[in-house]
Amino acid sequence: PVSSVEQMQGLTGETSYCFGLAAAFGLGLCALRQLLDRTSFLPLGCAGMKLPTSTKIQEVSEAVESASDEASVKMKSELAKLIKIRDALRLKFCEACWRATMYALMITIGYQSLREKAWWFPNVKEAFSDLGNGPVEKDITLYYALSLGFYFQLLIYMFVETRRDDFWEMMTHHLVTIYLISVSWAFKEHRIGSLILLVHDVADPFLELAKIFNYMKPARPWSDDVSTVFFVGFMVSFAVLRLFVYPYYIVRTCQIEVPQYVGCQVCLVVLQGLHIYWFYLICKVAFTKVFFGDLNDVRERDSMWDKKKWAEIQVHAMKNTSKNK
């Protein structure tokens, strides 16, 4: 085993380059997300959810605002609520598309980088052989830098995206993940770190795809079944990977092989606690779907788009326009 002084020397040179690469990825991903939101995800969301355009919203709003009768006052209030829901749905649809895209990319890179490594499952203990020695492989460097940059970007966007009920739990998750990635990278414990990253990433695209199709449900009823299929895939993969593979193959192996790394051990256990809490929320969603037929994220307070109410407001706006003429 290497000494603490020798390990600390890993913070310079190659490790500094890796952290610089991660920072570049983080900034680049922020810019890429802005580009994809404007050019791809937002138009796709408006078309998929059949949301009215900003121009149409403006036309209806002007027609409703021009009248002052009791019915119009009520419609103004309803229209304000719908506009708020529309804006929230557009934002959440873009969030889900971005995350699904990035998780799929990272899973692909991670699997291609790890599948032929000596420490691939179930030989996880091989990740600790010759610990701290030798250079980090180029494919693992890319995977680590992209992952760290992505979590930096997620942390920044937590203050921009829709705020959910598990805001602080998610904040804790991102901070712990960034800490574990950084420490394992600095001290060349990247082998076990890369396995932890992949185990955590696999379930997430299923969740984001389930959200995407669930947002489309009011406009496209067939998407409800598609959303359910992806949610079942998410629930099963989450249970297998985060409640079995992670504690048994990773947390247990770390406790046996490197018990001296107390800080990392604590962070791994904190992550497991978050997994149990989130699986409880997942079960609540599944319960609601089975008994009430509704598949909505229990962390979100926003309603779905009400096309009937929108049609009612449009009819009222048209009547007001005819009267004014």
Side-chain angles (χ1 to χ4, degrees):
V2 296
S3 67
S4 297
V5 174
E6 290 172 324
Q7 284 186 322
M8 288 301 296
Q9 291 174 349
L11 289 170
T12 60
E14 179 187 27
T15 305
S16 298
Y17 163 76
C18 291
F19 280 114
L21 186 61
F25 271 131
L27 294 174
L29 289 175
C30 287
L32 180 61
R33 175 166 178 180
Q34 288 294 315
L35 177 64
L36 291 178
D37 277 355
R38 294 174 182 273
T39 61
S40 301
F41 300 150
L42 188 55
L44 182 63
C46 290
M49 295 183 287
K50 295 184 178 180
L51 297 177
T53 63
S54 298
T55 302
K56 187 63 178 179
I57 288 283
Q58 183 65 27
E59 292 176 358
V60 172
S61 180
E62 290 176 355
V64 172
E65 291 288 341
S66 64
S68 57
D69 56 280
E70 184 176 345
S72 294
V73 171
K74 181 181 178 181
M75 287 299 169
K76 290 175 188 177
S77 175
E78 295 293 338
L79 179 59
K81 293 178 183 178
L82 279 183
I83 292 174
K84 185 178 179 180
I85 291 172
R86 169 184 173 269
D87 293 342
L89 282 173
R90 281 156 48 110
L91 180 59
K92 291 192 289 187
F93 190 93
C94 290
E95 291 172 13
C97 287
W98 169 252
R99 294 188 184 202
T101 302
M102 284 304 303
Y103 283 127
L105 175 63
M106 290 193 298
I107 290 169
T108 302
I109 294 175
Y111 178 72
Q112 290 297 324
S113 301
L114 291 168
R115 62 192 181 99
E116 294 183 358
K117 295 291 191 289
W119 64 89
W120 180 246
F121 296 103
N123 304 313
V124 177
K125 66 179 182 179
E126 293 298 323
F128 298 98
S129 63
D130 199 29
L131 186 64
N133 296 323
V136 181
E137 296 87 341
K138 290 183 178 180
D139 52 355
I140 299 298
T141 296
L142 174 63
Y143 182 43
Y144 248 68
L146 180 61
S147 297
L148 186 56
F150 178 59
Y151 279 103
F152 276 139
Q153 183 268 323
L154 287 181
L155 190 63
I156 293 170
Y157 268 78
M158 281 196 68
F159 300 96
V160 178
E161 295 179 338
T162 305
R163 183 157 180 159
R164 297 176 171 86
D165 287 349
D166 66 342
F167 176 86
W168 292 110
E169 290 86 350
M170 190 62 73
M171 174 73 75
T172 302
H173 173 270
H174 291 345
L175 289 173
V176 169
T177 301
I178 289 171
Y179 171 78
L180 287 172
I181 294 174
S182 301
V183 170
S184 63
W185 202 345
F187 296 126
K188 295 189 176 179
E189 298 164 10
H190 53 280
R191 295 177 178 178
I192 190 67
S194 57
L195 292 177
I196 293 173
L197 284 172
L198 187 59
V199 165
H200 280 79
D201 287 343
V202 171
D204 290 322
F206 290 103
L207 174 62
E208 303 306 332
L209 288 169
K211 288 180 181 180
I212 289 170
F213 285 99
N214 189 55
Y215 296 147
M216 293 166 53
K217 181 172 62 176
R220 305 179 189 277
W222 56 265
S223 67
D224 186 30
D225 292 334
V226 180
S227 178
T228 301
V229 170
F230 280 121
F231 180 78
V232 171
F234 167 67
M235 189 173 187
V236 171
S237 59
F238 190 101
V240 171
L241 293 171
R242 299 200 191 188
L243 300 183
F244 172 68
V245 173
Y246 174 75
Y248 183 79
Y249 283 102
I250 293 176
V251 177
R252 175 173 167 271
T253 304
C254 288
Q255 291 173 345
I256 294 172
E257 299 294 332
V258 286
Q260 67 273 25
Y261 295 155
V262 178
C264 290
Q265 303 288 356
V266 170
C267 287
L268 292 175
V269 173
V270 168
L271 284 181
Q272 185 57 28
L274 290 172
H275 296 163
I276 294 170
Y277 169 71
W278 281 323
F279 193 69
Y280 160 72
L281 295 182
I282 293 168
C283 290
K284 285 183 66 176
V285 174
F287 178 86
T288 303
K289 175 62 180 178
V290 170
F291 291 97
F292 300 100
D294 190 19
L295 187 63
N296 285 324
D297 193 334
V298 296
R299 304 170 303 163
E300 298 179 355
R301 299 180 182 273
D302 297 311
S303 303
M304 300 296 285
W305 178 255
D306 190 339
K307 60 181 182 181
K308 291 183 178 179
K309 180 61 67 176
W310 170 244
E312 182 182 340
I313 293 173
Q314 281 186 293
V315 170
H316 184 79
M318 290 175 64
K319 289 180 180 179
N320 283 347
T321 302
S322 299
K323 288 180 182 179
N324 293 334
K325 288 182 179 179

